[in-house]
Amino acid sequence: MLESMRVSLCGVLLALPLAAAAQQDLPLWEIGVVGGAVSTPAYPGAGDRSSRLLVLPAPIYRGKIFRSDESGIGARLFRSDRAEFDVGFAASLPSRSDEADARAGMPELGTLVEFGPRLKLTLLRREFSRLRLDLPMRTVIEGRGGLRNQGWNFAPRLVYEMDDTGTGWNGDLHIGFVAANEKLNSYFYDVRPEFATAGRPAYDAKKGLVLVRAGGFAARKVNPDLRVFGYLWYENYARSANDESPLFRKTSGASAGIGFLWTLARSSRRAND
């Protein structure tokens, strides 16, 4: 998930390169293609990895309220020099059971959609950089054979953003944690009695900490229509509330990816940010 339990593969490919465009006087809309390669743990604490090659459409819209841009997809309800409040969406691709040996024979982890409010506070601002605190609270909906509410998560993070100073490069560094209620942790770590085996005893998950995450990304504008990027995130699960689950196999993991954003068309009208 983006800011959540699993890395949002679609969100990573879309949001990171768009962040490279975060500057003034941008088009109101752009249409392009985003693609890349992403590798992540199958779920927090998994012993196996999930890797994807993706090419997706990349619609960008920078309206005053409704936006699909470097901050994600959602509705911006309030903005000032120091604070911003929005309601947004994020999504993650499914994780197949054959990608995680610990979950063999168990239901697959489906596509997850997150929805909820986020408060962003600017703590420090300089000419080409800023320090920001993000406070998102998201409900998680699973889309597998219908829609099911799978709980909620809270994923605050501290972000240091660095703008392009004329070199074509920009990026950010961030640190934060993810906590979830019992229902969402159960989705990842429960082992119901019917799926218990000699090596995988039944387990009931608890609410609490999922992971601590630190990482960053760098992006470069190659020309007006092409941007490339790379990112690396490190996650620590050592203090997870569910480290006793038989599905919990590792105390740390990393996610990495590279990609591109190719803009095919853009509006002549500028965004009134």
Side-chain angles (χ1 to χ4, degrees):
M1 309 175 199
L2 243 187
E3 306 169 340
S4 188
M5 304 282 287
R6 280 187 289 162
V7 172
S8 168
L9 301 179
C10 298
V12 164
L13 290 179
L14 181 58
L16 288 180
L18 294 186
Q23 49 187 293
Q24 300 299 316
D25 193 32
L26 293 170
L28 178 63
W29 58 262
E30 297 179 64
I31 299 294
V33 176
V34 62
V38 180
S39 179
T40 76
Y43 57 88
D48 300 283
R49 301 187 64 79
S50 177
S51 300
R52 298 285 192 277
L53 291 173
L54 294 175
V55 177
L56 302 166
I60 303 165
Y61 181 72
R62 303 182 180 95
K64 287 185 177 181
I65 297 177
F66 296 104
R67 302 176 70 86
S68 171
D69 63 2
E70 64 276 359
S71 297
I73 301 172
R76 188 172 65 189
L77 305 180
F78 170 81
R79 185 176 186 236
S80 70
D81 288 342
R82 293 292 180 181
E84 183 174 323
F85 181 76
D86 63 19
V87 176
F89 294 85
S92 68
L93 294 178
S95 177
R96 301 187 302 269
S97 292
D98 61 5
E99 293 179 324
D101 290 342
R103 296 187 60 88
M106 296 182 64
E108 294 183 349
L109 301 175
T111 298
L112 299 178
V113 177
E114 300 181 19
F115 168 78
R118 176 179 57 176
L119 177 64
K120 298 192 293 185
L121 302 173
T122 300
L123 306 180
L124 177 67
R125 187 188 302 275
R126 294 178 177 172
E127 184 178 4
F128 294 108
S129 64
R130 67 195 62 84
L131 182 65
R132 190 183 78 234
L133 177 64
D134 289 357
L135 300 169
M137 179 78 76
R138 297 275 170 84
T139 294
V140 180
I141 306 295
E142 181 192 18
R144 179 172 57 89
L147 299 178
R148 289 181 293 276
N149 186 302
Q150 295 293 358
W152 57 264
N153 69 73
F154 177 55
R157 65 175 193 159
L158 193 63
V159 185
Y160 181 66
E161 296 179 318
M162 296 159 282
D163 292 339
D164 183 359
T165 60
T167 65
W169 288 93
N170 80 305
D172 76 28
L173 300 170
H174 71 266
I175 186 169
F177 69 87
V178 178
N181 70 343
E182 181 178 342
K183 186 172 185 178
L184 185 52
N185 277 342
S186 295
Y187 179 72
F188 287 95
Y189 298 112
D190 263 9
V191 179
R192 299 200 302 268
E194 62 266 35
F195 298 114
T197 65
R200 188 175 63 199
Y203 179 81
D204 291 323
K206 304 183 288 290
K207 67 180 179 180
L209 184 69
V210 178
L211 58 85
V212 176
R213 175 186 292 148
F217 90 96
R220 185 174 190 275
K221 184 177 181 180
V222 179
N223 60 48
D225 296 325
L226 179 63
R227 307 180 191 111
V228 295
F229 70 92
Y231 78 95
L232 177 65
W233 295 348
Y234 169 79
E235 297 175 344
N236 188 283
Y237 320 119
R239 296 188 178 276
S240 168
N242 292 284
D243 60 355
E244 295 180 356
S245 168
L247 303 179
F248 187 95
R249 297 295 179 88
K250 297 184 70 174
T251 59
S252 64
S255 300
I258 57 173
F260 69 90
L261 174 65
W262 181 21
T263 300
L264 303 175
R266 57 174 59 87
S267 70
S268 58
R269 182 179 174 185
R270 316 312 287 176
N272 184 1
D273 203 39

